[in-house]
Amino acid sequence: MLLWYTCADADAGSEVQLATIGVAGVSGTLTATIAPGWDPPLNRGDDRVERDAESYEKEFRPLSLGTIDLPAGPQTLRMVALRVAGASVADVRRLVLDPRP
């Protein structure tokens, strides 16, 4: 499972937990530390048309959270910060689940 993030150097070291919750309750958890800091500048140079409501893009970094078993049936993924190292935890772009047999 990959978490794509950005994080200021001063905020690096925060700890997050991802839990899978099914009908029978919590079926698994993963804990990871957001590190290293990764805060590239916004990409402002590629636009040819002025933006209205859209945000600028920036480069996100992948962080492996590990492997978790997902039982059959509906599951809810919940991510929480267990420890905040600075002023914030991270900007999260996406969470990628890679199904493997």
Side-chain angles (χ1 to χ4, degrees):
M1 197 168 299
L2 288 177
L3 173 74
W4 289 78
Y5 76 97
T6 63
C7 172
D9 287 336
D11 297 332
S14 294
E15 190 175 25
V16 295
Q17 182 181 68
L18 180 75
T20 59
I21 305 164
V23 177
V26 175
S27 57
T29 59
L30 294 173
T31 303
T33 301
I34 305 286
W38 179 255
D39 195 18
L42 292 174
N43 180 4
R44 297 177 181 257
D46 294 338
D47 291 348
R48 295 185 180 181
V49 176
E50 188 174 326
R51 291 178 181 233
D52 290 323
E54 301 93 359
S55 62
Y56 288 100
E57 182 65 35
K58 75 188 316 187
E59 186 179 343
F60 285 74
R61 180 183 183 109
L63 172 68
S64 177
L65 298 179
T67 303
I68 194 166
D69 290 326
L70 294 174
Q75 297 286 313
T76 299
L77 296 177
R78 180 182 64 192
M79 183 177 294
V80 296
L82 298 177
R83 187 173 65 80
V84 181
S88 65
V89 177
D91 296 319
V92 175
R93 180 174 185 189
R94 65 182 168 221
L95 183 63
V96 179
L97 289 85
D98 183 15
R100 297 185 184 192

